[in-house]
């Protein structure tokens, strides 16, 4: 396993692989790796000749009051997990390498950037699109691997790739969960013991919503109310949003039909957790 810290050597390694006719799979992350990241790396290994993992805590996607400074950084542990998943290259750039002094250029996926989490994290998706755009130019992958846990991120990045004609395919992998249903996340580390015990209510509430839909409920207001009530009654948390939206446009639905994304964001103390399910409703 190679660890590359600068941009030029990474671009050269990618170009060399391409010249030899090898395919490159790419998993961008912010580190503090867990089994969710591992599932992306496993699929990447399976599909491609060369598997590249990037680790970069991107300051541009954190708001001024957010957790950039405290975001977990676990270089040694991450390397062990990467080795186990047979990663060929870890791209581990410095802040200076990614954002040289006087940096000015951004990618903003309009309209999609302000839905769901965008209402609560202004500028977040601009930061995400910009860093992933830069990484695509550096790593030149054939396939980009993303996790369904960050559903809006998947929609925003797919749109960016389509609109800007990047020759890269996107594969979205299912959300990996703890045995009690909590979606794995680097931010779960912020939960206190009490909050950790309450946090599985997010997925339980989503499953209850799915059950209600299976039993015929199509009214988005009722589904949202069901989820919000379950979360409120079973945790001391703050709900940012519970929304039922079209899974491609992220536009809110009154009546559930087609491919529906039910997405939630809830704060437990220091931890802002997100989760979602996608339902195909005829
Ligand atoms: P992050 O390091 O949190 O920015 O995540 C890097 C990638 O891993 C993103 O594509 C995430 O959607 C994905 N990911 C994070 N957590 C999970 C999970 N529990 N299951 C599947 N993918 C995940």
């Amino acid at each position: 396993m190679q660890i590359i810290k600068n941009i030029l050597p990474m671009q050269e390694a990618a170009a060399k692989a391409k010249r030899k006719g090898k395919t490159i799979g790419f998993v961008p992350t912010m580190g503090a790796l867990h089994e969710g990241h591992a599932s992306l790396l496993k699929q990447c290994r399976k599909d491609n000749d060369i598997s590249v993992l990037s680790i970069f805590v991107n300051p541009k996607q954190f708001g001024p009051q957010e957790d950039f400074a405290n975001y977990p950084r676990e270089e040694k542990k991450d390397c062990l997990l990467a080795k186990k998943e047979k990663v060929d290259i870890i791209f581990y750039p410095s802040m200076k390498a990614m954002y040289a002094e006087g940096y000015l250029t951004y990618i903003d996926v309009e309209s999609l950037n302000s839905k769901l989490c965008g209402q609560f994290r202004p500028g977040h998706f601009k930061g995400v699109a910009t860093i992933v755009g830069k990484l695509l130019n550096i790593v030149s992958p054939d396939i980009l691997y993303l996790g369904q846990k960050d559903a809006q991120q998947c929609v925003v990045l797919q749109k960016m790739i389509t609109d800007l004609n990047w020759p890269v395919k996107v594969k979205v992998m299912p959300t990996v969960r703890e045995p009690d249903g909590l979606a794995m996340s680097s931010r779960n580390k912020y939960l206190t013991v009490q909050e950790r015990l309450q946090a599985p209510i997010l997925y339980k509430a989503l499953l209850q919503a799915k059950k209600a839909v299976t039993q015929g409920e199509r009214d988005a207001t009722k589904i949202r109310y069901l989820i919000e009530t379950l979360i409120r009654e079973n945790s001391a948390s703050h709900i940012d949003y519970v929304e039922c939206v079209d899974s491609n446009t992220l536009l809110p639905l009154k009546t559930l039909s087609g491919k529906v994304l039910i997405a939630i964001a809830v704060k437990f103390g220091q931890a802002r957790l997100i989760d979602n399910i996608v339902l195909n409703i005829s």
Side-chain angles (χ1 to χ4, degrees):
M1 187 173 75
Q2 228 184 323
I3 300 179
I4 300 182
K5 296 202 165 183
N6 288 306
I7 289 167
L8 205 58
M10 182 64 242
Q11 283 174 321
E12 283 168 359
K16 192 171 152 199
K18 288 271 159 87
R19 276 198 302 275
K20 289 184 179 167
K22 294 189 172 171
T23 59
I24 301 173
F26 178 42
V27 179
T29 77
M30 297 206 298
L33 303 179
H34 49 67
E35 284 308 305
H37 300 112
S39 80
L40 272 57
L41 291 169
K42 281 190 175 76
Q43 190 65 42
C44 182
R45 172 77 287 160
K46 211 186 272 178
D47 297 342
N48 301 280
D49 299 318
I50 306 281
S51 128
V52 180
L53 159 72
S54 71
I55 299 177
F56 182 66
V57 184
N58 174 32
K60 309 271 186 200
Q61 69 188 69
F62 289 79
Q65 309 302 328
E66 292 185 1
D67 55 338
F68 174 67
N70 297 330
Y71 198 84
R73 289 155 171 92
E74 303 173 352
E75 187 170 348
K76 279 195 185 130
K77 216 172 130 223
D78 288 350
C79 281
L80 291 177
L81 187 142
K83 240 182 211 162
K84 186 168 159 244
E85 300 305 335
K86 301 188 178 65
V87 165
D88 294 296
I89 300 173
I90 305 185
F91 180 50
Y92 217 130
S94 66
M95 196 67 70
K96 231 168 133 189
M98 293 311 278
Y99 298 112
E101 221 183 299
Y103 188 87
L104 288 176
T105 308
Y106 295 87
I107 302 174
D108 213 354
V109 182
E110 290 176 2
S111 161
L112 292 176
N113 62 3
S114 58
K115 310 254 176 331
L116 303 176
C117 283
Q119 306 160 74
F120 298 87
R121 305 186 72 189
H124 169 69
F125 290 105
K126 183 175 169 186
V128 170
T130 300
I131 193 66
V132 174
K134 284 167 71 65
L135 289 167
L136 291 179
N137 282 338
I138 296 165
V139 177
S140 304
D142 295 278
I143 310 179
L144 170 68
Y145 294 85
L146 301 172
Q148 176 61 31
K149 185 182 82 73
D150 298 270
Q152 185 173 11
Q153 178 166 284
C154 295
V155 174
V156 166
L157 293 177
Q158 179 63 75
K159 186 72 180 132
M160 172 187 85
I161 284 166
T162 306
D163 284 356
L164 295 180
N165 313 103
W166 255 297
V168 57
K169 216 174 107 181
V170 175
K171 252 196 194 181
V172 177
M173 302 302 295
T175 302
V176 176
R177 298 178 181 282
E178 300 287 356
D180 60 11
L182 177 64
M184 288 192 182
S185 164
S186 309
R187 289 192 165 97
N188 291 350
K189 291 191 171 72
Y190 301 152
L191 296 168
T192 63
V193 173
Q194 188 64 19
E195 288 159 358
R196 175 64 189 82
L197 287 169
Q198 294 174 359
I201 190 61
L202 301 190
Y203 188 51
K204 283 194 188 117
L206 287 170
L207 290 181
Q208 284 300 315
K210 182 177 178 179
K211 194 170 157 197
V213 171
T214 311
Q215 289 168 351
E217 185 58 75
R218 295 290 181 272
D219 184 334
T221 307
K222 287 189 180 154
I223 292 293
R224 291 171 59 193
Y225 182 73
L226 169 71
I227 296 172
E228 286 174 8
T229 306
L230 279 166
I231 294 173
R232 288 214 174 91
E233 285 178 355
N234 291 283
S235 68
S237 61
H238 171 84
I239 298 175
D240 268 0
Y241 67 79
V242 171
E243 290 204 40
C244 301
V245 300
D246 177 282
S247 69
N248 288 315
T249 62
L250 305 183
L251 288 169
L253 298 166
K254 278 196 178 126
T255 306
L256 306 190
S257 80
K259 207 170 162 198
V260 176
L261 171 70
I262 306 182
I264 62 182
V266 180
K267 281 184 190 145
F268 285 78
Q270 300 299 306
R272 184 179 185 276
L273 305 183
I274 56 171
D275 204 347
N276 69 83
I277 52 171
V278 176
L279 303 176
N280 278 301
I281 304 172
S282 50

